[in-house]
Amino acid sequence: MNPATSITRAKTTEPQGTCYRVLMWEPSALPSEQLAEWAAQRRTLLSRMRDAGIKGSRGLLGQLENELKALTVKMIEEPLAQTERAAFSFARAEALGEALQAHDAVLAYRLGTAAAEILMQMLGEESMSDMLNHWQSATPGMSWCSEPIVQAMTAAEASVWQQESRCESDDEADTPGYTSGEFHHVTVLLNEAVEALQPAEGKVLVDATLGGGGHTERLLQAGAEVWGIDQDPSARAAAKARLAEFGERLHVVAGNFRNAAEMLRKHGVEQVDGLLADIGISSPQVDCAERGFSFLHEGPLDMRMNPSAPRSAADIVNTAAESEIADILWQYGEERASRAIARRIVQERAKAPITTTTQLADLIATVLPRKGKQHPATRSFQALRIAVNDELGALDALLQSGLSMLKSGGRFAVITFHSLEDRAVKRYFELVCKPEIDRPEWPAPRPNPAYAARLVYRKPITPTEQELSANPRSRSAKLRVIEKL
Ligand SMILES: C[S@@+](CC[C@H](N)C(=O)[O-])C[C@H]1O[C@@H](n2cnc3c(N)ncnc32)[C@H](O)[C@@H]1O
C-alpha cells in the first residue's frame, strides 16, 4: 500500500456524484488504548466546536476543525499507514466487497453511507438491509450495525467504539442530553405528549416517528402496546436496543409514515387508540457530519433521513434547474435571497460539483452577509432538508390518513418544529374539528363533511421554561392534539 495516497480522504465525484470516504482497518491494527485516547481528545474538540458553532465563531470553528483533522491524521491515519492493515479508498472498498463475497473477510471497518451504497450496487444487493443480512450470515462472529455507518467489529473493537459515537464524525459526547456511545435524542414535550395520548395497559398506540424511542419508552412503561415507525435504520436500531426489555409490546416498522395506515394494515392492525408524530429530524441525524444535515460540520451533502431514498441534497443542488432550487429555498426556507443563491449555486456547479455541506454553506455566505447570530445558510439548509425528505408531503399524507387509523375516542398528537409544519397541522385540525362550515356566498352555514374530531387543547402546547433551558432545541416545538369523535 502506498501511504501517501492511501491515507488521504477519498473525495470523488465517481460513480454516484457524491463525496465519500472509506476508512477500514483490521481489528488489531491499532492498540485499543490509542483508539480510546483519540476518541477522548476528539470528543473534547467536537464539544468546543459545538460551542463555537452556537456562538457563530467561524474563525475558531475552522481552527478547531483543522485541529481535529490533524489529530485524526496523527493518531489514526499515520499509525495505520505504517501497519499496511488499513485502507481509505474506493479501490479498497471494492476489495472489501470482493472479500466479503468470498466470505473470508474478518475486517473491522466503518463505511460512510455513500460507500455502503456503492458496495451494495457492486454486490448486486437489492437493499441495504439485504446486504447486511448477507454479511451477518457470512461473518457470524461479528456484530453488525446498519446505516448510516455500516460497521462490523469484534467484541473488543465494539467496546472501544461504544465509548464514542456510532457515527463517524458527530459531536454528541459531552453535550447535554447525549450519553457517550449511544444514539441519544432529547425527547421534546415528553410529559405533555404522553399525557395527551393517555397510554394504558390494553391500548394500542402508534409512534409514527420512533427516533431514539423517547416517547415510546414512556408509552410502553404505561403498559401500552406500541407500533413504532421510522424511515431511518439507525434510529430503528437504537430504539430496538433501548426498548428491548418491553419485548413483544413494541413492534418496530421500517418505512415512511406517509404510508402508516397501509403498513399497519399489512400487520393486521386496522384501528388504534392513539397516534403520535414528533415531526422532523433527531439530534443524532443533525449532529452526525456523515448524514450531511448540518453546515457546522463538513460532510457529504446528503440530508436523507432514509439513506436509501433516491435523491440527496447534492443531487438537487447539482442537477435541479435554477428555478427549482430557487423555489425550494423560497417555499421551504422562506429565504428572501433564494434567486441570488440559486444563481450562485448554478455558477459554481458549472466549475465543479458541490459535494459537501461546508462547500455549500460557504458559497451561500458569499451571497448573504451574516446578520445577527444566525448563519446565512440556516434557511437554505432547512429548505433543502424539507425538499430532500418531502417532509411536508409526508406530513400531509399522515394528516389525511391519521383519523382513519383511530378508534372513536382515539387521540392524534403532532409535534412540529417550524411554522410551515405547524400551519399545516393547525389548518387540518381546525378543519376536522368544525361541525359546520360557512362561506360568505351561502345563506347559512352547512354541515362540514370532514367533521370527525374535537380539539383537545385550543392552543398549541409549547415547552416549559424548564424544558427550554434544559434543551434549547425544543424552542420552536408545538404540540397539537385532537380526539376522534
Ligand atoms: C424528532 S425525531 C423523533 C424522536 C422521538 N420522538 C424520541 O423521543 O426519541 C423524528 C424521527 O422521525 C423520523 N421521521 C421523520 N420523518 C419521517 C417520515 N416521513 N417517515 C418515517 N420516519 C420519519 C426521523 O428519521 C427521526 O428519527
Side-chain angles (χ1 to χ4, degrees):
M1 192 160 73
N2 175 351
T5 53
S6 61
I7 63 166
T8 52
R9 286 184 179 190
K11 278 193 182 180
T12 178
T13 54
E14 296 296 333
Q16 292 203 317
T18 37
C19 150
Y20 68 92
R21 170 170 65 155
V22 179
L23 165 55
M24 294 181 278
W25 62 90
E26 290 178 32
S28 54
L30 283 180
S32 57
E33 310 78 55
Q34 188 172 331
L35 276 175
E37 175 58 25
W38 167 68
Q41 291 195 32
R42 180 166 159 273
R43 272 200 292 275
T44 308
L45 280 169
L46 287 168
S47 160
R48 290 177 59 202
M49 281 166 70
R50 164 179 286 262
D51 292 345
I54 290 168
K55 288 187 196 132
S57 319
R58 296 288 292 171
L60 178 60
L61 197 57
Q63 182 195 321
L64 290 168
E65 263 176 15
N66 287 339
E67 277 182 41
L68 183 61
K69 277 181 200 156
L71 175 78
T72 304
V73 168
K74 182 167 151 253
M75 295 193 69
I76 301 288
E77 300 192 1
E78 283 178 359
L80 280 176
Q82 306 301 320
T83 67
E84 298 198 347
R85 289 155 78 189
F88 302 78
S89 74
F90 177 60
R92 292 293 296 199
E94 248 166 9
L96 173 68
E98 281 162 17
L100 276 164
Q101 258 177 328
H103 292 189
D104 64 356
V106 187
L107 287 167
Y109 59 93
R110 334 179 76 211
L111 303 174
T113 312
E117 277 171 13
I118 291 165
L119 272 179
M120 189 176 97
Q121 286 175 7
M122 278 180 355
L123 298 175
E125 298 283 5
E126 301 242 305
S127 68
M128 201 73 83
S129 56
D130 279 359
M131 180 168 82
L132 284 175
N133 285 341
H134 289 155
W135 289 2
Q136 179 98 58
S137 49
T139 53
M142 309 279 235
S143 46
W144 286 87
C145 303
S146 58
E147 317 98 304
I149 302 299
V150 178
Q151 355 183 0
M153 53 190 66
T154 60
E157 274 278 325
S159 75
V160 173
W161 282 110
Q162 269 160 14
Q163 288 162 32
E164 51 108 30
S165 151
R166 185 173 283 174
C167 233
E168 174 67 10
S169 29
D170 57 358
D171 61 354
E172 56 264 60
D174 297 341
T175 304
Y178 282 103
T179 313
S180 197
E182 288 171 14
F183 177 111
H184 197 71
H185 169 84
V186 184
T187 298
V188 171
L189 292 168
L190 176 60
N191 294 330
E192 294 84 347
V194 170
E195 194 177 310
L197 285 170
Q198 304 174 315
E201 214 174 301
K203 284 200 177 181
V204 180
L205 304 172
V206 175
D207 182 347
T209 49
L210 180 62
H215 285 111
T216 285
E217 182 172 53
R218 287 279 292 274
L219 304 177
L220 290 162
Q221 280 166 349
E225 177 180 342
V226 181
W227 289 81
I229 301 172
D230 207 293
Q231 60 179 332
D232 183 337
S234 58
R236 295 194 302 271
K240 265 191 206 162
R242 172 177 176 177
L243 305 172
E245 64 179 289
F246 297 100
E248 297 195 343
R249 275 199 290 123
L250 171 67
H251 314 272
V252 176
V253 183
N256 193 304
F257 62 55
R258 65 165 73 235
N259 308 314
E262 231 173 279
M263 285 168 0
L264 291 176
R265 215 170 297 126
K266 269 194 194 154
H267 289 278
V269 181
E270 293 290 341
Q271 292 205 306
V272 296
D273 299 285
L275 171 58
L276 170 68
D278 173 16
I279 306 293
I281 43 179
S282 65
S283 300
Q285 283 168 333
V286 78
D287 291 334
C288 170
E290 289 275 351
R291 304 298 300 264
F293 283 100
S294 168
F295 47 79
L296 293 178
H297 319 295
E298 185 174 4
L301 194 53
D302 192 321
M303 302 197 192
R304 287 169 301 170
M305 291 190 215
N306 170 3
S308 311
R311 198 158 81 142
S312 70
D315 294 328
I316 294 180
V317 164
N318 290 302
T319 63
E322 183 179 324
S323 59
E324 190 192 347
I325 297 175
D327 288 349
I328 287 173
L329 301 186
W330 172 243
Q331 282 172 16
Y332 302 145
E334 295 172 334
E335 173 55 74
R336 290 207 198 138
S338 56
R339 304 220 165 274
I341 295 173
R343 199 172 316 126
R344 194 63 217 283
I345 286 175
V346 170
Q347 283 164 358
E348 281 304 306
R349 78 185 188 193
K351 298 178 207 157
I354 300 161
T355 54
T356 69
T357 48
T358 44
Q359 209 183 339
L360 179 63
D362 293 347
L363 185 155
I364 294 170
T366 62
V367 179
L368 269 182
R370 174 186 281 277
K371 273 195 200 148
K373 283 187 177 171
Q374 200 181 58
H375 189 283
T378 306
R379 285 183 299 277
S380 300
F381 269 60
Q382 171 190 302
L384 280 169
R385 193 200 89 200
I386 293 175
V388 165
N389 297 289
D390 186 21
E391 292 179 33
L392 295 176
L395 173 60
D396 198 42
L398 182 71
L399 290 173
Q400 297 296 333
S401 61
L403 281 171
S404 73
M405 282 185 258
L406 292 176
K407 294 176 187 162
S408 172
R411 297 243 172 131
F412 187 4
V414 185
I415 300 172
T416 58
F417 288 86
H418 57 75
S419 56
L420 294 170
E421 292 167 344
D422 183 55
R423 213 174 297 153
V425 177
K426 180 172 181 244
R427 282 197 188 144
Y428 184 76
F429 279 10
E430 279 176 358
L431 171 71
V432 295
C433 290
K434 249 194 250 172
E436 294 180 322
I437 38 177
D438 200 2
R439 290 213 187 130
E441 66 271 25
W442 293 346
R446 297 178 185 176
N448 174 9
Y451 178 49
R454 74 169 186 92
L455 283 175
V456 174
Y457 310 113
R458 296 237 136 255
K459 298 228 156 132
I461 307 281
T462 51
T464 57
E465 284 301 322
Q466 203 183 357
E467 176 167 5
L468 284 172
S469 59
N471 179 18
R473 282 184 179 183
S474 68
R475 66 189 169 277
S476 41
K478 284 188 179 162
L479 166 69
R480 294 184 187 269
V481 188
I482 54 174
E483 184 179 285
K484 187 165 171 176
L485 296 174

